[in-house]
Amino acid sequence: MDYSHMCPKYEMAAELLGKKWSSLIIYVLLGGPKRFKEIKEQIPDMSDKMLTDRMKELEHCQILKRNVYPEMPVRIEYELTEKGQALKPVIESIQSWGEQWC
């Protein structure tokens, strides 16, 4: 296969999903909106700093959004955008492949 002609959009998508923790965060958020602490509980091996960094990257890419609720104390939840929800079949395919081959 000639990789010199690889589609740059494929390369960007593979790089985004291939970053450590990114696809796991998306996987967790497929279950609905979550607070930082709830995401961290489901991915306990990830540091708070790494979760913060990945969340900012995914927010920048418009994969997830941060909702701030002006309550006392302030409540912040993260949820997938429409773009993030569109990754559901991709994540499910990876899960299925992993169950069969890993």
Side-chain angles (χ1 to χ4, degrees):
M1 183 176 273
D2 182 2
Y3 293 107
S4 65
H5 299 294
M6 185 181 294
C7 173
K9 290 181 179 184
Y10 173 85
E11 191 174 346
M12 253 174 60
E15 185 177 319
L16 174 71
L17 292 175
K19 279 191 174 179
K20 189 166 187 177
W21 309 114
S22 293
S23 59
L24 285 174
I25 294 167
I26 295 166
Y27 183 88
V28 167
L29 289 175
L30 281 170
K34 305 264 184 300
R35 297 178 78 162
F36 186 93
K37 180 181 162 199
E38 295 171 312
I39 298 167
K40 183 74 175 89
E41 286 171 356
Q42 291 191 36
I43 315 172
D45 292 341
M46 182 175 34
S47 71
D48 287 0
K49 182 185 180 333
M50 182 58 71
L51 178 55
T52 300
D53 291 349
R54 288 295 182 260
M55 298 285 272
K56 285 179 183 174
E57 288 175 21
L58 293 170
E59 186 176 11
H60 178 77
C61 294
Q62 300 175 331
I63 301 292
L64 64 82
K65 65 181 176 179
R66 181 178 185 262
N67 299 313
V68 180
Y69 299 96
E71 302 170 350
M72 287 306 276
V74 173
R75 179 171 52 104
I76 299 171
E77 286 185 343
Y78 299 89
E79 70 177 315
L80 294 176
T81 60
E82 181 181 352
K83 184 177 178 180
Q85 286 288 340
L87 286 166
K88 184 175 182 172
V90 175
I91 300 297
E92 288 174 343
S93 292
I94 293 170
Q95 173 71 35
S96 181
W97 183 88
E99 287 173 5
Q100 181 174 354
W101 297 102
C102 293

